[in-house]
Amino acid sequence: MDKRILIPTDFSKNALNAARYALDLYANLNCEFYFLNVFSLDSYTTKSLFLPEPGSTEYEMAKAKSEASFLKLLDIFKQHHDNPKHSFHTISTINFLSEALKQTIVEKDIELLVMGTQGASGTKGIIFGSNTVNAMEKITECPLLAVPQNVKFSPPKEIVFPTNFKSTFKRRELVYLIEIAKMHETAIRLLYVSKKQDLTELQETNKLLLEDIMQSIEHSFHNLTEKDVSDGITSFVESRNSDMIAFINHKHFFFSSVFSKPLVKEIGYKAIVPILALH
């Protein structure tokens, strides 16, 4: 069965960049790409409890504008990403973004969600837009790959996987990470950031389980003594010029520490890397 990937777009350069990254990352797999545009009406405000109905002049004009933009987008892909392994579908809808994403994921049996980290109205200097962060929190039905706007695709040679070894790992949680690693012969660097380097018995057991799951791909374990987890991850990624960060979002595990400072702001950070949030 073809891999099904959902990419929301507002037709900004950032959204286009995220789409191109996904097309290149999965260039060797048979994939169905679903592009979702949630359009809005100028007269509609969020104070209203009702979304405008199809059939109204304003609704139909907005939908037609969305569909016209999709024709231009597909033309770009035809010229620059003509891959017989890939097929494209477009969805234009009026809805709240989070609801539209969840609905499409269920209806189309989506396996991966790919989002740019800034929309057309993104604030300069902030890497993760609120839509992407909200999706990382709320979308639990499938993994999410967040692609920063300045990152161009090159085959990932190294993915950093931060973990505290406190949760028991399941193979199915890591299947997408291992798939990417096998496709591109990528090494996984398992990073433990803590003031205490000694592991408990439970952590040691979980580490052995993780090593067993990773045995089919190149991997290595690394320790960093840092007070701040996000600082440790950031410095590790920077020092090694790593290509991606992946983590399992166990009950928002790591969420506040990873997505608050250093990692989500462009502070002396030349190559912000994509982040794969697994569930």
Side-chain angles (χ1 to χ4, degrees), residues 28-94:
N28 296 322
L29 281 191
N30 293 321
C31 297
E32 290 189 56
F33 288 92
Y34 289 84
F35 293 94
L36 171 69
N37 176 240
V38 179
F39 61 87
S40 59
L41 306 186
D42 294 337
S43 63
Y44 173 72
T45 67
T46 53
K47 293 178 182 178
S48 171
L49 294 176
F50 301 98
L51 291 167
E53 289 292 321
S56 67
T57 302
E58 196 177 6
Y59 175 94
E60 295 302 331
M61 285 179 64
K63 186 177 182 183
K65 183 179 178 183
S66 171
E67 290 172 346
S69 296
F70 267 134
L71 289 176
K72 293 179 183 176
L73 183 66
L74 293 180
D75 189 52
I76 291 172
F77 294 151
K78 189 175 181 181
Q79 291 181 45
H80 302 286
H81 295 273
D82 190 15
N83 187 337
K85 292 179 178 287
H86 293 169
S87 59
F88 304 121
H89 310 271
T90 63
I91 302 167
S92 297
T93 184
I94 186 164

